[in-house]
Amino acid sequence: DVKVTQSSRYLVKRTGEKVFLECVQDMDHENMFWYRQDPGLGLRLIYFSYDVKMKEKGDIPEGYSVSREKKERFSLILESASTNQTSMYLCASSYDGEYTEAFFGQGTRLTVV
Amino acid sequence: AQKVTQAQTEISVVEKEDVTLDCVYETRDTTYYLFWYKQPPSGELVFLIRRNSFDEQNEISGRYSWNFQKSTSSFNFTITASQVVDSAVYFCALSERTGRRALTFGSGTRLQVQP
């Protein structure tokens, strides 16, 4: 089975802190994604990566950055956390093909106080 | 730009009722792919089905069925004889052949099945 693992299930951080959310997949997928989920808004794409050291902005990249130094690991970084970044963050991965589904991690619920 | 609309925010049914979740999409691409995911209370999205734009055949898998109609840009999901375990948030998603690799999701429909 494909496994996408996010480092934390719940996180509480203070405003202004630098926050790292880690995601690891074990299926040698080329693509990895970070989404943010908010009530009534569904999942919105923050960033994605289709190869090591490659990244592309999604729909809401402001306030976030990413890092992909190894194929299996994709990190989301909140440079200076703010309360409006309180949300559920979902990592996903997929094979690089036209018709491939994405596999998701269990999510990290981040609260910024 | 691609867009997915799930107009039903929340649906509540009683066990054994049939329920249909609506999904309407917008895309300029002639080749695209549609997906449904289930998010149970545990939080992890579970893939249910995918369909490409050239395959309008309806699909049935047990109590689940999907109706894809290009003429109305819809990809609706029906659960027959619903069960309490079907309670979850369901997401419809779209990707385009010529667009970015990532899925674009609708806002989701929360289904509550009462015993």
Side-chain angles (χ1 to χ4, degrees), chain A residues 6-31:
Chain A
Q6 296 181 228
S7 54
S8 305
R9 192 70 194 268
Y10 299 95
L11 271 181
V12 180
K13 297 292 182 180
R14 295 196 178 278
T15 301
E17 274 193 76
K18 189 169 186 176
V19 181
F20 292 86
L21 303 184
E22 307 286 348
C23 176
V24 176
Q25 50 95 3
D26 65 359
M27 280 301 291
D28 202 35
H29 285 167
E30 294 84 3
N31 301 327

Side-chain angles (χ1 to χ4, degrees), chain A residues 23-25 28-30 32 49 51-54 67-75:
Chain A
C23 176
V24 176
Q25 50 95 3
D28 202 35
H29 285 167
E30 294 84 3
M32 295 190 75
S49 168
D51 201 352
V52 175
K53 298 189 186 295
M54 306 300 289
S67 172
R68 194 168 180 198
E69 297 295 320
K70 293 184 178 181
K71 191 175 185 179
E72 68 271 17
R73 187 179 296 271
F74 191 36
S75 303

Side-chain angles (χ1 to χ4, degrees), chain B residues 10-115:
Chain B
E10 188 163 344
I11 301 175
S12 183
V13 299
V14 177
E15 218 173 6
K16 298 185 183 177
E17 280 187 40
D18 298 346
V19 58
T20 295
L21 309 181
D22 297 333
C23 173
V24 174
Y25 61 90
E26 295 175 30
T27 176
R28 293 179 186 162
D29 213 333
T30 55
T31 303
Y32 52 89
Y33 312 97
L34 297 163
F35 302 80
W36 275 95
Y37 281 82
K38 174 182 180 180
Q39 186 180 41
S42 60
E44 186 171 335
L45 268 77
V46 177
F47 165 74
L48 294 178
I49 191 172
R50 62 185 175 196
R51 177 67 71 220
N52 73 56
S53 53
F54 298 109
D55 182 4
E56 286 194 73
Q57 246 187 346
N58 291 333
E59 174 132 354
I60 298 174
S61 176
R63 296 183 297 106
Y64 295 173
S65 62
W66 291 269
N67 180 260
F68 175 30
Q69 292 195 341
K70 283 178 78 169
S71 61
T72 55
S73 298
S74 65
F75 186 42
N76 297 336
F77 173 30
T78 297
I79 302 174
T80 303
S82 59
Q83 300 176 2
V84 173
V85 293
D86 296 326
S87 297
V89 182
Y90 291 86
F91 290 97
C92 181
L94 165 74
S95 68
E96 295 171 331
R97 182 180 186 183
T98 56
R100 65 188 185 188
R101 294 171 174 82
L103 297 175
T104 296
F105 284 84
S107 56
T109 297
R110 179 177 298 277
L111 174 65
Q112 292 191 327
V113 182
Q114 310 288 347

